[in-house]
Amino acid sequence: MIRLVLLIRRDCSILIGAGVFLPVLFFLLVAVLFPFAVGSDAIILSRTGSGILWVAALLASLLPIDRLIIPDVENGFFDHYAVRGISEEWIAVARIIAHWVSFAVPLMVALLPASALLSLKWSVFWKLEAGFLLATPGLASLGVMIAALTARIKSGSGLAALLLLPLAVPLLIFGAGAVDGHQPGAFLLLAACSLFLLAVAPFVIGAALRIGQDG
């Protein structure tokens, strides 16, 4: 447990840097530009704004992927911890938690001004916040998992985007459905998808790291 805490602390210190603001800036930029495209009608913005913010959050999750695994592969971090007998799965758990802290928490904070820019009601804002809270652990798990699978592939960042977007579609569907109320039980399905990704990701990441070390 102490090793896990130290790993999380180490990963947070690396991931929480200048790059942490890029997803947030992208997210807010979408909220700023969208009214210019559809007009300033509050009814239209409130009807479509929640879906746009879900899409913006999904696309923003692509931006940190290059920083999640590749730098540590290049500097031999994973080999170093393998020699010390630390399981790759524990390393994966620490990286997922650190990624969630550095990516999801700022995004949930940025949701407040983004909702105001799109004239969303408070009830919609709280549904979005709850949806983000449920979905972002799965999205963080998926991001680290895709980063690990593509870390040793040339031009892997483009492939990572192609892999992440289709796999994250269920989170997008259930998250948007939870806001508009057209899908009963959407929050439960969203939580189930996120928990599934959270449970599977450490084993997939660990296997990918071991394969990379053997190669």
Side-chain angles (χ1 to χ4, degrees):
M1 184 59 68
I2 295 177
R3 284 183 173 182
L4 178 61
V5 172
L6 292 175
L7 281 171
I8 294 172
R9 182 178 178 182
R10 181 259 181 193
D11 288 350
C12 284
S13 66
I14 292 174
L15 294 179
I16 299 177
V20 76
F21 296 107
L22 292 178
V24 173
L25 290 175
F26 174 84
F27 183 74
L28 291 175
L29 188 60
V30 171
V32 169
L33 294 179
F34 184 67
F36 289 100
V38 301
S40 58
D41 191 316
I43 296 177
I44 296 177
L45 289 176
S46 62
R47 185 179 302 168
T48 59
S50 60
I52 289 299
L53 291 181
W54 269 105
V55 173
L58 181 58
L59 294 176
S61 69
L62 297 173
L63 297 178
I65 283 184
D66 285 347
R67 301 187 295 115
L68 296 179
I69 298 293
I70 292 177
D72 284 330
V73 169
E74 293 175 345
N75 63 28
F77 167 78
F78 299 118
D79 297 328
H80 170 69
Y81 274 89
V83 171
R84 294 178 59 182
I86 298 177
S87 168
E88 286 82 2
E89 283 75 17
W90 282 116
I91 295 173
V93 170
R95 189 58 53 93
I96 289 170
I97 294 173
H99 179 39
W100 184 84
V101 170
S102 65
F103 160 70
V105 173
L107 202 66
M108 287 189 286
V109 173
L111 183 59
L112 179 59
S115 298
L117 289 168
L118 297 177
S119 303
L120 299 183
K121 298 178 180 178
W122 277 108
S123 59
V124 175
F125 164 75
W126 287 115
K127 287 181 180 179
L128 279 170
E129 198 72 80
F132 276 28
L133 183 61
L134 292 174
T136 48
L139 201 57
S141 303
L142 188 58
V144 180
M145 183 168 60
I146 297 299
L149 290 171
T150 59
R152 298 179 185 272
I153 300 175
K154 188 176 181 180
S155 302
S157 57
L159 178 60
L162 292 176
L163 290 174
L164 187 144
L165 289 176
L167 293 175
V169 166
L171 297 174
L172 176 64
I173 293 173
F174 296 133
V179 175
D180 60 30
H182 292 160
Q183 298 179 15
F187 276 121
L188 293 177
L189 292 170
L190 181 63
C193 288
S194 188
L195 284 173
F196 174 76
L197 291 170
L198 196 58
V200 170
F203 300 101
V204 176
I205 296 166
L209 294 178
R210 281 191 290 273
I211 292 172
Q213 289 164 6
D214 293 340

